Amino acid sequence: MRHPAVPESLESWWILHRMFAVDRFLWDKLPKDERADIVREAMLALESLKKPEDTDVGLAQLVGHKADLMLTHYSKNYEGLAHAQTLVDKLRLAEFLTPCTSYVSVLELGLYDATGKIHAALSERNLKPASQEWHEAFDEMLQEQQRLPHNAGRLWARVPQRRYVCFYPMDKKRGEEVNWYMLPFEDRARLMLEHGKIGRTYHGLVNQVISGSIGFDDYEWGVDLYADDPMVFKKLIYEMRFDEASAKYGDFGEFYSGVQFSLDQLGTYFDGLSVPALNVLQPAKA
Ligand code: 76R
């Protein structure tokens, strides 16, 4: 896409969020050794998604009864998400899970700043827009962006190992009066810069994973935030509400928040012991 109005982006992991209700009554009726067998089978399957370099999975106990359990699947290809979905659905554990909702997206780094610079550099070189030379130079400059350590590190980072997670989908408004997509590129770039400035004051306190979902799901982006203190979500999101990019143009879907736990705690989670009390995910070292 090289339309002058369209900011370029770099994509990496395919992401599938799945939210389930857990039938604890049914689970508790099972004999202990059967529960252990079912957990063992599920742990092996989830480990096969967690270990390889080209997939990952995060587990979280959600708080509130929109859902009880959230699985966040990462895969280097789209089919990998389909595989993860089937694998989980075929587990004996799935008899105790009712799917509540899901979200499909792909990790995305927005490049407003770099896109503006690339366009300026190309017109300085007097390349004719949309000519073959222009496209080639464009691709080359975009690939450079991919190689920058700052971008490369963020693109293929695994599910952040912070204790708390917050997920919600969002849109940028496309109303008759207020329409993000009708703003000139420069205005959107400036607003995103301002947005990033607020975000960066939380650097170290929060990991933010933005994924694009246009073409895959009902909203335009998925937002995952990970922190060692859940209060950070409130402070950060509230502060952003006053920033123009959110205040005027942000439209939000449903919010999910919870406590991440490690795979070896799966049995503990299903037996209903309090995951937070077990301190399963230690705060990350800053
Ligand atoms: O600094 C950089 O390198 C990246 C700058 C940046 C971009 C391009 C950035 C930084 N974000 C970007 C893009 Mn973000 N972000 C959200 C939300 O609740 C709300 O009001 C909005 C939900 C939060 C909380 C958040 C946090 N961001 C985007 C996009 C894509 C828009 C597009 O391309 O048009 C969306 C939808 C979005 C939404 N953002 C940051 C943060 C934080 C905490 C940062 C700083 C991260 C850091 O430096 O560690």
Side-chain angles (χ1 to χ4, degrees):
M1 241 183 304
R2 289 151 195 132
H3 190 286
V6 179
E8 294 299 323
S9 51
L10 300 175
E11 278 78 22
S12 59
W13 294 112
W14 289 94
I15 303 181
L16 169 64
H17 289 79
R18 298 188 75 186
M19 286 71 161
F20 300 95
V22 174
D23 191 337
R24 291 199 182 279
F25 289 115
L26 201 61
W27 180 257
D28 288 347
K29 282 187 193 141
L30 287 185
K32 203 170 171 214
D33 50 345
E34 207 176 327
R35 278 185 285 163
D37 274 355
I38 294 175
V39 165
R40 210 171 302 123
E41 182 204 46
M43 278 172 69
L44 277 177
L46 290 170
E47 203 167 69
S48 79
L49 297 174
K50 215 172 168 34
K51 274 228 168 114
E53 221 182 68
D54 55 357
T55 51
D56 198 9
V57 57
L59 299 97
Q61 170 169 23
L62 295 181
V63 178
H65 45 75
K66 281 184 200 132
D68 299 310
L69 173 71
M70 178 166 81
L71 297 180
T72 304
H73 294 286
Y74 279 15
S75 169
K76 286 203 172 163
N77 53 52
Y78 185 77
E79 288 79 353
L81 298 184
H83 168 69
Q85 180 166 339
T86 312
L87 192 74
V88 170
D89 286 350
K90 286 179 87 75
L91 293 174
R92 287 169 70 202
L93 191 72
E95 279 179 45
F96 306 88
L97 301 177
T98 307
C100 296
T101 187
S102 65
Y103 206 77
V104 180
S105 54
V106 60
L107 195 148
E108 161 189 308
L109 298 187
L111 294 178
Y112 265 105
D113 189 41
T115 306
K117 285 182 182 146
I118 292 174
H119 280 285
L122 293 179
S123 61
E124 239 169 63
R125 281 204 232 160
N126 284 326
L127 294 180
K128 191 166 164 259
S131 65
Q132 195 185 334
E133 301 76 40
W134 196 89
H135 283 311
E136 277 167 13
F138 196 102
D139 288 345
E140 208 173 290
M141 290 166 106
L142 206 58
Q143 273 166 20
E144 271 167 37
Q145 285 297 318
Q146 203 145 3
R147 287 191 294 266
L148 290 180
H150 171 69
N151 287 339
R154 281 161 69 205
L155 277 171
W156 295 108
R158 300 180 74 85
V159 178
Q161 294 297 290
R162 298 233 191 200
R163 189 129 177 229
Y164 304 97
V165 57
C166 168
F167 169 76
Y168 53 99
M170 68 173 288
D171 282 338
K172 287 280 165 71
K173 278 195 188 123
R174 281 192 299 124
E176 281 174 30
E177 301 287 329
V178 176
N179 188 333
W180 173 257
Y181 296 90
M182 296 303 283
L183 285 180
F185 180 91
E186 293 70 28
D187 291 1
R188 280 177 283 129
R190 179 180 50 79
L191 291 173
M192 286 318 294
L193 189 71
E194 294 302 315
H195 163 85
K197 275 188 200 157
I198 295 188
R200 274 195 288 276
T201 64
Y202 286 80
H203 192 75
L205 290 175
V206 65
N207 290 56
Q208 153 248 27
V209 178
I210 297 299
S211 50
S213 41
I214 293 178
F216 308 114
D217 224 313
D218 300 342
Y219 283 81
E220 294 170 345
W221 285 279
V223 179
D224 280 285
L225 303 172
Y226 298 87
D228 299 325
D229 175 357
M231 196 59 77
V232 169
F233 301 145
K234 178 178 189 288
K235 301 285 178 197
L236 165 63
I237 296 168
Y238 188 53
E239 195 172 333
M240 282 195 171
R241 291 287 156 101
F242 293 92
D243 187 53
E244 203 174 333
S246 299
K248 195 165 174 189
Y249 298 101
D251 237 344
F252 300 91
E254 295 203 314
F255 280 66
Y256 297 84
S257 64
V259 187
Q260 292 210 98
F261 62 91
S262 48
L263 187 50
D264 60 358
Q265 296 297 322
L266 192 68
T268 311
Y269 170 68
F270 273 88
D271 283 344
L273 302 177
S274 167
V275 168
L278 288 166
N279 205 17
V280 287
L281 268 187
Q282 298 297 333
K285 303 271 176 298

